[in-house]
Amino acid sequence: MKPVTAAPGAGALLLEETRRRLGSFQICALCTCCGGPRGICLPSPCCYAINCNIPNRPFGFCSFTPKSCNCLECNL
């Protein structure tokens, strides 16, 4: 199963990268994961990470995006 990303800009943050390094920060939260042979979508605990410097967005624009459909890989 794969996490379904939210609409662009949802949960967006503006952060100045010269002050903090947030690339390794991860958090476990609920998201919708879809997949399997039937393409079923289910609410699941997902591992979110911060993505910064997203293409076609202003410099320093950051957003939480789901990376996996479980929290086993997250640093809680």
Side-chain angles (χ1 to χ4, degrees), residues 14-67:
L14 284 176
L15 299 174
E16 198 175 308
E17 283 193 339
T18 58
R19 289 186 180 179
R20 298 184 223 174
R21 294 284 178 189
L22 299 174
S24 63
F25 179 79
Q26 296 179 341
I27 191 167
C28 184
L30 190 66
C31 78
T32 302
C33 290
C34 300
R38 295 183 185 175
I40 297 173
C41 295
L42 299 170
S44 304
C46 293
C47 187
Y48 284 81
I50 294 179
N51 282 341
C52 293
N53 299 327
I54 300 166
N56 301 319
R57 299 284 182 200
F59 176 78
F61 181 88
C62 298
S63 170
F64 281 104
T65 54
K67 295 296 180 183

